[in-house]
Amino acid sequence: AVVSTQSTGEPGGPGNHLLGRSRLDGQKLGPSVSATKRVMSLLTSLGFSLNIKKSVLLPVQVMEYLGVLINTVQMTISLPKRRQDKILKSIAACLVPRPTLRRLLSLLGSLEATKPVFPSAPLYYRDLQQFTIDLQFQGATLIDEVTIPETVREELLFWKGQVPRILPYKFRQPVSPHLILTTDSSLQGWGGWCENIHLQGHWNQEEKQSMHINQLELLAIIRCLEQLHSHLYQRIVLIRSDNTTALSYIRNFGGTRNRLLCQLAKKAWSIAIQYGCQLR
């Protein structure tokens, strides 16, 4: 049995927990029922409080868990229709002239929760995320009405069209990368190596003077991807760099600590998506 537990916060010691959801596997119904009863009896004796409403007591092949629909026949996870409708309703509420900060944060949480089904989701809500962070830093409260910038409005319109088109995400066995791209950068120029192809270039004066080394390292990855475009189609590319910040922004589809780094990460991913390429 695979079970998840959550503390109730009630007195009675560490053994007093709430059993959230469980899944019990079995080939036949009879043995499964018997096994379920034994597990429930054991958990009760250990001080757990069983939440029967949220428990799955018999084996199933399709179930909703943590807001996504898991299908073990087709080996997919997808967004239930009610979740899609909820997100679309939230988007409509945020596209009014002056939505509240509470509505924007609620929508942001819903979009974040789509990542198991739509892994690249952060690429398309980073402006919204940064906008809400800025508002809170400026002292805005949840009930304050705000005017959203055009970049955020464009993201909301993207999601309005995208949500109904999000396809089920299919579980796949891990696949080894087809290409390994090694990059490096200095304050003078950049270089890369991939499949016996040597790539290099120099920074212009503006890039030298205005960009931090972390930004130059990420820009080096972009320059290499641009020159390797004919090799990227439907490929998985493993990026190797000695700059952990650049790699983090690639693997997390952007970030909120540095605006330019986020823009550069989105640029790198736009190149990859254009050629059906996956970056690691």
Side-chain angles (χ1 to χ4, degrees):
V2 179
V3 300
S4 61
T5 63
Q6 179 182 359
S7 175
T8 61
E10 299 173 355
N16 191 354
H17 285 71
L18 174 70
L19 177 62
R21 285 187 179 272
S22 66
R23 178 175 178 181
L24 303 174
D25 294 324
Q27 297 298 320
K28 295 181 180 180
L29 192 59
S32 297
V33 172
S34 177
T36 299
K37 290 180 178 179
R38 290 200 300 272
V39 171
M40 292 173 67
S41 176
L42 174 61
L43 291 172
T44 301
S45 69
L46 292 174
F48 288 88
S49 299
L50 306 186
N51 190 328
I52 302 300
K53 279 187 176 181
K54 291 187 176 181
S55 298
V56 179
L57 302 178
L58 294 174
V60 293
Q61 294 178 309
V62 180
M63 68 176 293
E64 186 175 331
Y65 182 67
L66 296 179
V68 296
L69 199 62
I70 303 174
N71 188 319
T72 59
V73 178
Q74 301 176 352
M75 295 303 293
T76 61
I77 53 176
S78 59
L79 281 182
K81 182 66 165 58
R82 64 174 187 81
R83 281 280 310 282
Q84 295 183 24
D85 292 342
K86 181 180 178 181
I87 293 174
L88 291 173
K89 185 177 179 180
S90 295
I91 292 172
C94 292
L95 283 172
V96 299
R98 289 179 62 80
T100 63
L101 177 56
R102 185 192 303 275
R103 288 190 182 278
L104 293 175
L105 289 172
S106 176
L107 173 60
L108 182 60
S110 296
L111 299 181
E112 171 79 14
T114 66
K115 286 199 302 183
V117 182
F118 187 36
S120 60
L123 283 175
Y124 308 103
Y125 62 63
R126 287 299 185 191
D127 287 334
L128 170 62
Q129 187 178 38
Q130 187 65 60
F131 179 58
T132 59
I133 290 173
D134 292 343
L135 288 173
Q136 293 174 88
F137 184 77
Q138 295 164 12
T141 65
L142 293 178
I143 61 174
D144 285 346
E145 296 181 346
V146 299
T147 301
I148 62 174
E150 189 59 31
T151 53
V152 173
R153 182 173 295 275
E154 290 173 1
E155 285 189 338
L156 299 185
L157 292 174
F158 165 83
W159 280 101
K160 183 178 179 180
Q162 179 66 24
V163 168
R165 297 202 302 264
I166 295 179
L167 299 175
Y169 183 80
K170 192 168 184 63
F171 294 107
R172 297 180 178 88
Q173 291 293 332
V175 179
S176 298
H178 303 106
L179 301 173
I180 297 177
L181 170 61
T182 304
T183 69
D184 200 5
S185 175
S186 70
L187 296 177
Q188 301 302 316
W190 57 274
W193 181 266
C194 180
E195 294 289 299
N196 296 321
I197 301 173
H198 182 61
L199 310 161
Q200 64 180 7
H202 292 89
W203 305 123
N204 60 39
Q205 200 62 29
E206 181 182 356
E207 292 165 340
K208 287 181 184 179
Q209 294 178 352
S210 65
M211 300 182 76
H212 186 273
I213 186 61
N214 290 342
Q215 297 163 349
L216 292 176
E217 292 277 7
L218 191 42
L219 186 55
I221 295 172
I222 293 173
R223 295 286 168 83
C224 288
L225 291 174
E226 288 174 337
Q227 293 199 16
L228 287 170
H229 64 87
S230 61
H231 300 267
L232 298 180
Y233 183 71
Q234 296 294 320
R235 291 290 187 267
I236 298 175
V237 181
L238 175 64
I239 297 175
R240 288 181 174 170
S241 170
D242 60 0
N243 188 278
T244 57
T245 299
L247 291 178
S248 175
Y249 269 77
I250 290 288
R251 291 169 182 167
N252 292 311
F253 300 95
T256 59
R257 299 297 294 272
N258 185 283
R259 293 176 190 271
L260 182 53
L261 282 174
C262 186
Q263 293 172 7
L264 291 172
K266 291 169 73 173
K267 172 64 175 176
W269 273 105
S270 70
I271 297 171
I273 292 172
Q274 180 181 354
Y275 296 100
C277 171
Q278 179 182 341
L279 304 179
R280 289 185 182 173

